[in-house]
Amino acid sequence: MDYMDNIRNKLALLPDLPGCYLMKNQEGTIIYVGKAKVLKNRVRSYFTGSHNGKTQRLVANIVDFEYIVTSSNMEALILECNLIKKHMPRYNVLLKDDKTFPYLKITNEAHPRLEVTRRVLKDKAKYFGPYPNSYAAQQTKKLLDRMYPLRKCGVMPKEVCLYYHMGQCLAPCEKEVPKSAYEEIIQNISSFLGGGHDAVKKDLQKKMQEAAEELYFERAKELRDQIMHIDAVMEKQKINTADTKDRDVFGYAVDKGWMCVQILYMRQGKMIQRHSSAFPFYGEAYSDFMSYVTQYYSDNPALPQEILLPDMASAGMLQPEAGSAAGQGSGGPEAGGMPSGQALMAALGAEDESEAGELSRGAAAGEGLAADLSGAAGPGAAAEAAQEQAELEQEAAAEGTVDAAGGAAALQEWLGIKVLVPQRGLKKQMVGMACQNSRVALNEKFRLIERDEERTSGAASSLGQSLGLASLNRIEAFDNSNIQGANPVSAMVVFIDGKPARKEYRKYKVRTVQGPDDYETMREVIRRRYERVLKENLPQPDLIVVDGGKGQISSAIDILQNELGLFIPVCGLVKDDKHRTAQLLVGDAAEPVSLARDSQEFYLLQRIQDEVHRFAITFHREQRGKSMVTSKLDSIPGIGDKRRKLLLKHFGSLKKIKEASVEDFKVLSIGEKLAGQILEALKDEEPSL
């Protein structure tokens, strides 16, 4: 093929240099962006050898590629991030805009405000965060609003508001507030968010004690409440360390074409939260992981002091949960064991500023700590791990990918903060903790998918076996709705492999039946539905479910077999006196089928019956509402179909029309006389309408 010849020619000319490559599909759209420290090796690897299913899907869509040479791995890392943001390629890991993290922001204004934002601007404001979720940011802001009286209003009011009287605002709208007062508040907030909340808490406790001794009990209660809020918001920590460093600890796991990335946030020596992201990936696992990290920090103004990344061996495929031994305290880092979080973080705090040397050279202190934790794990396990890591690094170099050390160095040079890939000791265990969390989260995701399969396709298959059907992929269910024969309607829902296919739902206005005749309504709707199925060659269901018993089943079978020549199994769902699914009847003789009440098959039938009933009732309410509106307006002389639609479009409902004045009708070219007639006619209308 022409495009393959073009690709071969381009592959022969690739340079032995770092850079980025852009894969394109048949339409010329960029579908994947990657980076490499040796472009020739990395790009060639896509078109040679075998790949997993996800990568094969990507390669099958590539008909052309471009590349951009850079002078270093760091430039390749940054360029890849920018290209991903610009082109949003389909097969790249994307940190989408709606997934950006919230920050607390002190605005750069004459009278500053504290607010939660997801947009980071170069506006000289102070940003704190990121917070793992909006709730954490909002709760922290609520606490700070109670403690520090910055203005709350977006637009300065003309008089003082309730916040001033509550002591939560300095009232710059009426009073002159010196700049020094704001500077002190901003400094206190910065100190608080920087981990100084313990000092603030002690100060509040002291003031509370003084207020109580002076019998200012209301003030003492206010201070006590502030202390409780600090405990509630700031003291929900999982793990403490002896040092006060801010760290982001990354880990990831991959399986079945999916990647899960976990970030453990440590702020001022306390692990405050974690963030988890799971997504499909199509490229090389570690390269796509580094793309995620780069995008995460590209718009992050609040950087930690240190970032810990896993090496290429730390995050493998999901393993069987033999790790229960680790939870029991046996084994060390090489053996898969892990000390308790408290012990791990407390020991970590004892490390000094020589940690970078310890991590890269294996200083005696670090090795000693690792040996203490590893227990029975001897030098053989360490040598095996080192050999595995060396093989991974060699493989990465052969393909031209950015290895762990190179990626960390590039990230450190770009961000200007310490980025480490721990090889031994306690920091290695921290990263292992993040990777373990990733494996657990990914395993949980797959187990949830399996449970969903049991509830849906598995339940449908079991139900088919109970009914003696070879397969049960498509189920169509019907329900009728009317009130004493008024506004009769029917509805059909479709379940495919046990899941609702909402795009295939259908509504029916009953045309030929007068009065509340459920059997004739069922006959009409079944006839209309399956005449169309035959005429348009639509897929036929494996099972038809009707709401009702023997009469409804017989009506449906009569139309299907005697009029349309279709022999599709029909079953009916009978409800008990509490309007709950009670029994399944099958066939013209309406024989009951025994299903356990707690079985997945019975739950599936309940979901089908509830869904079709909900859909039918909703449609009936719509029709009833329309008919009531229509009859009320149509009874007014001078109001035809066109003017009725105009009135409803302009006012929105009969209630709004009824509340309007004569003047409000002039914009619709309706004079005072007709407007008066409309209002008079609607005078006795029910308020609910």
Side-chain angles (χ1 to χ4, degrees):
M1 297 175 65
D2 291 341
Y3 76 86
M4 284 305 299
D5 291 337
N6 181 47
I7 286 177
R8 290 191 193 97
N9 293 333
K10 282 191 171 185
L11 289 175
L13 301 175
L14 283 166
D16 295 324
L17 295 169
C20 291
Y21 51 91
L22 301 89
M23 301 300 194
K24 297 182 177 181
N25 64 8
Q26 197 167 4
E27 288 78 34
T29 303
I30 295 171
I31 58 175
Y32 187 77
V33 173
K35 61 183 175 299
K37 66 179 183 180
V38 183
L39 280 168
K40 182 166 87 174
N41 293 344
R42 181 57 183 150
V43 178
R44 279 181 174 178
S45 70
Y46 283 94
F47 304 98
T48 58
S50 59
H51 304 286
N52 59 35
K54 290 269 186 180
T55 307
Q56 285 177 2
R57 193 182 310 171
L58 163 63
V59 174
N61 286 291
I62 298 173
V63 299
D64 194 10
F65 68 86
E66 294 179 8
Y67 60 89
I68 302 172
V69 174
T70 61
S71 59
S72 66
N73 287 341
M74 183 197 72
E75 288 186 5
L77 196 71
I78 299 170
L79 178 60
E80 181 199 38
C81 179
N82 293 335
L83 290 173
I84 288 173
K85 285 187 172 184
K86 179 180 178 182
H87 298 290
M88 302 291 286
R90 176 184 175 186
Y91 293 101
N92 272 99
V93 170
L94 300 175
L95 193 65
K96 298 180 181 177
D97 289 340
D98 62 347
K99 295 296 183 185
T100 54
F101 297 94
Y103 296 84
L104 281 177
K105 171 183 176 181
I106 301 177
T107 61
N108 180 34
E109 300 174 273
H111 304 289
R113 291 178 296 129
L114 181 69
E115 59 184 33
V116 176
T117 181
R118 291 181 184 269
R119 296 182 60 201
V120 178
L121 307 173
K122 294 181 179 179
D123 53 2
K124 297 184 180 179
K126 286 184 175 290
Y127 291 88
F128 302 90
Y131 288 83
N133 54 64
S134 181
Y135 178 77
Q138 292 289 355
Q139 288 297 104
T140 306
K141 178 183 180 298
K142 188 182 294 185
L143 169 63
L144 293 172
D145 282 341
R146 291 190 180 102
M147 297 174 60
Y148 301 106
L150 291 180
R151 73 182 177 97
K152 310 295 186 292
C153 50
V155 179
M156 198 79 73
K158 296 180 180 179
E159 56 185 17
V160 295
C161 61
L162 182 61
Y163 286 113
Y164 170 73
H165 298 293
M166 294 168 63
Q168 296 182 21
C169 181
L170 296 176
C173 53
E174 282 198 358
K175 299 181 179 182
E176 186 69 28
V177 181
K179 188 176 181 181
S180 59
Y182 285 132
E183 289 175 350
E184 182 181 354
I185 291 174
I186 292 172
Q187 184 177 356
N188 288 336
I189 292 176
S190 301
S191 174
F192 186 95
L193 293 174
H197 56 273
D198 285 333
V200 173
K201 182 178 171 182
K202 288 179 182 178
D203 183 54
L204 290 174
Q205 287 173 336
K206 181 181 177 182
K207 290 180 179 179
M208 180 184 70
Q209 189 67 31
E210 291 173 354
E213 289 174 357
E214 295 175 9
L215 305 181
Y216 295 143
F217 297 119
E218 290 187 3
R219 176 61 179 160
K221 180 181 180 297
E222 291 175 2
L223 293 168
R224 185 204 64 184
D225 291 343
Q226 288 187 1
I227 294 169
M228 291 172 63
H229 288 309
I230 291 176
D231 290 337
V233 174
M234 302 302 293
E235 295 301 324
K236 292 180 179 177
Q237 315 293 351
K238 298 180 178 65
I239 299 169
N240 296 337
T241 68
D243 69 359
T244 58
K245 282 197 172 182
D246 291 353
R247 293 184 178 91
D248 287 351
V249 183
F250 283 82
Y252 78 99
V254 295
D255 194 22
K256 300 182 178 67
W258 280 76
M259 176 182 293
C260 178
V261 177
Q262 292 266 342
I263 311 172
L264 306 180
Y265 299 100
M266 294 185 64
R267 294 296 179 265
Q268 290 293 308
K270 295 185 178 181
M271 186 172 291
I272 60 171
Q273 259 290 2
R274 68 167 183 159
H275 176 76
S276 178
S277 297
F279 42 81
F281 76 102
Y282 298 87
E284 190 269 328
Y286 198 84
S287 181
D288 279 4
F289 164 71
M290 287 302 298
S291 292
Y292 178 94
V293 176
T294 308
Q295 290 180 65
Y296 174 76
Y297 286 113
S298 64
D299 289 325
N300 188 339
L303 297 173
Q305 295 169 280
E306 185 176 277
I307 298 171
L308 302 184
L309 299 177
D311 56 33
M312 300 177 73
S314 295
M317 304 289 283
L318 289 185
Q319 301 297 328
E321 302 243 353
S324 57
Q328 296 163 5
S330 62
E334 289 83 2
M338 186 176 296
S340 72
Q342 289 283 358
L344 174 62
M345 296 303 174
L348 176 65
E351 298 186 38
D352 58 20
E353 290 301 318
S354 65
E355 58 204 348
E358 173 234 306
L359 292 169
S360 59
R361 297 186 297 272
E367 291 176 349
L369 286 169
D372 291 340
L373 290 167
S374 61
E384 185 179 341
Q387 182 179 357
E388 182 183 354
Q389 173 65 13
E391 291 174 356
L392 283 167
E393 299 287 353
Q394 289 175 4
E395 183 181 340
E399 289 189 355
T401 57
V402 178
D403 57 84
L411 199 61
Q412 178 169 304
E413 184 180 353
W414 176 43
L415 297 177
I417 60 174
K418 192 178 292 184
V419 182
L420 305 175
V421 182
Q423 298 301 310
R424 59 184 59 82
L426 295 171
K427 283 196 171 79
K428 173 75 170 178
Q429 302 253 356
M430 286 180 66
V431 172
M433 184 188 300
C435 291
Q436 178 68 9
N437 274 282
S438 299
R439 285 189 284 271
V440 169
L442 207 52
N443 185 50
E444 181 182 272
K445 179 180 180 65
F446 294 140
R447 287 169 63 188
L448 287 172
I449 291 173
E450 289 173 2
R451 288 193 64 184
D452 185 59
E453 289 295 317
E454 290 177 5
R455 294 178 67 249
T456 54
S457 58
S461 177
S462 298
L463 179 60
Q465 293 175 8
S466 300
L467 299 176
L469 302 177
S471 65
L472 187 54
N473 300 320
R474 183 184 181 92
I475 300 172
E476 295 185 357
F478 296 83
D479 190 14
N480 305 324
S481 182
N482 65 79
I483 296 180
Q484 295 183 343
N487 304 112
V489 298
S490 188
M492 179 197 76
V493 301
V494 179
F495 275 62
I496 298 176
D497 292 330
K499 297 178 183 178
R502 292 184 173 85
K503 290 184 178 179
E504 299 198 43
Y505 287 13
R506 294 294 180 266
K507 304 172 182 176
Y508 298 92
K509 291 182 184 178
V510 178
R511 299 170 180 167
T512 61
V513 180
Q514 299 295 325
D517 191 334
D518 207 32
Y519 301 155
E520 285 302 315
T521 299
M522 187 63 68
R523 293 170 67 88
E524 177 188 330
V525 173
I526 293 291
R527 182 185 296 112
R528 287 167 58 186
R529 167 61 183 169
Y530 295 103
E531 278 181 348
R532 184 170 184 177
V533 166
L534 292 173
K535 183 178 179 180
E536 299 182 11
N537 198 26
L538 300 176
Q540 295 185 15
D542 300 304
L543 178 69
I544 296 173
V545 178
V546 297
D547 187 72
K550 182 176 180 180
Q552 287 84 353
I553 295 173
S554 298
S555 299
I557 291 177
D558 180 42
I559 297 298
L560 289 169
Q561 296 182 1
N562 299 330
E563 290 191 22
L564 304 177
L566 294 174
F567 294 88
I568 302 172
V570 179
C571 69
L573 293 174
V574 181
K575 296 179 181 177
D576 59 19
D577 55 356
K578 295 184 179 179
H579 211 68
R580 295 177 302 193
T581 305
Q583 194 174 37
L584 173 67
L585 302 177
V586 179
D588 202 7
E591 294 292 332
V593 177
S594 178
L595 292 176
R597 283 296 190 100
D598 59 351
S599 66
Q600 292 294 346
E601 304 94 283
F602 192 82
Y603 291 151
L604 174 60
L605 291 173
Q606 279 186 323
R607 293 199 299 276
I608 291 173
Q609 189 168 39
D610 290 344
E611 178 68 355
V612 70
H613 181 69
R614 178 200 64 81
F615 194 50
I617 285 291
T618 302
F619 183 43
H620 180 256
R621 286 173 180 162
E622 291 174 2
Q623 295 304 306
R624 191 176 72 222
K626 286 180 181 178
S627 68
M628 294 172 76
V629 170
T630 300
S631 61
K632 204 68 182 177
L633 288 178
D634 285 349
S635 64
I636 303 172
I639 299 294
D641 185 61
K642 184 176 179 181
R643 190 164 271 173
R644 171 172 52 81
K645 290 179 180 178
L646 189 65
L647 282 165
L648 290 173
K649 182 178 180 181
H650 178 74
F651 290 102
S653 68
L654 276 184
K655 185 174 183 289
K656 294 289 180 63
I657 299 174
K658 180 185 175 183
E659 294 172 351
S661 65
V662 172
E663 296 293 324
D664 295 332
F665 291 88
K666 288 185 177 180
V667 294
L668 301 177
S669 301
I670 294 177
E672 293 185 8
K673 183 178 179 182
L674 183 54
Q677 291 176 344
I678 294 172
L679 294 174
E680 184 65 27
L682 297 179
K683 184 186 296 182
D684 299 326
E685 186 59 51
E686 289 295 325
S688 60
L689 294 175

